[in-house]
Amino acid sequence: MFAVIKTGGKQYKVAKDDIIVVEKLDAEEGKKVTFGDVLMHGKAGDVTVGEPLVDGASVTGEVVEQRKGAKVLVFKKKRRQNYRRKRGHRQLETVVRITGIKG
């Protein structure tokens, strides 16, 4: 059984016991989270596609950890103007283990 969920403006194909990294969720480590925006779910031969969401479907998971992602460097430069700026950014992430798919 698999499902396609939407969270943080992105879509993820998940199955039971998968571990996914999503944008930060407001949940502590060890807490349960529920994703209600299920776009599609099913098995190999039987697939249900939502219009845009599947009614009554949900995906549950458990928060494994809250962390910061890899550093992304942002470098700006204007040639011949002695203008250079270097900034770094680390996105906040949540690691989730999928525990069940309902629907």
Side-chain angles (χ1 to χ4, degrees), residues 73-79 83-87:
L73 293 179
V74 179
F75 186 74
K76 299 179 182 181
K77 180 179 190 242
K78 292 185 181 177
R79 62 182 186 170
Y83 175 81
R84 291 185 300 243
R85 300 291 181 267
K86 183 177 176 183
R87 297 272 186 259

Side-chain angles (χ1 to χ4, degrees), residues 56-99:
S58 65
V59 174
T60 58
E62 178 185 350
V63 175
V64 176
E65 76 173 306
Q66 299 278 5
R67 67 180 188 193
K68 284 187 174 184
K71 182 173 277 194
V72 177
L73 293 179
V74 179
F75 186 74
K76 299 179 182 181
K77 180 179 190 242
K78 292 185 181 177
R79 62 182 186 170
R80 296 189 295 270
Q81 304 299 320
N82 199 22
Y83 175 81
R84 291 185 300 243
R85 300 291 181 267
K86 183 177 176 183
R87 297 272 186 259
H89 175 73
R90 293 183 71 188
Q91 185 69 33
L92 297 175
E93 299 174 340
T94 302
V95 180
V96 178
R97 175 181 290 113
I98 302 300
T99 56

Side-chain angles (χ1 to χ4, degrees), residues 23-84:
E23 290 198 16
K24 185 175 187 316
L25 301 173
D26 291 332
E28 298 173 6
E29 292 182 13
K31 298 290 182 177
K32 301 284 185 185
V33 292
T34 302
F35 301 102
D37 293 343
V38 178
L39 304 173
M40 178 170 54
H41 74 82
K43 295 181 182 174
D46 181 31
V47 177
T48 303
V49 179
E51 298 173 359
L53 302 175
V54 178
D55 293 331
S58 65
V59 174
T60 58
E62 178 185 350
V63 175
V64 176
E65 76 173 306
Q66 299 278 5
R67 67 180 188 193
K68 284 187 174 184
K71 182 173 277 194
V72 177
L73 293 179
V74 179
F75 186 74
K76 299 179 182 181
K77 180 179 190 242
K78 292 185 181 177
R79 62 182 186 170
R80 296 189 295 270
Q81 304 299 320
N82 199 22
Y83 175 81
R84 291 185 300 243

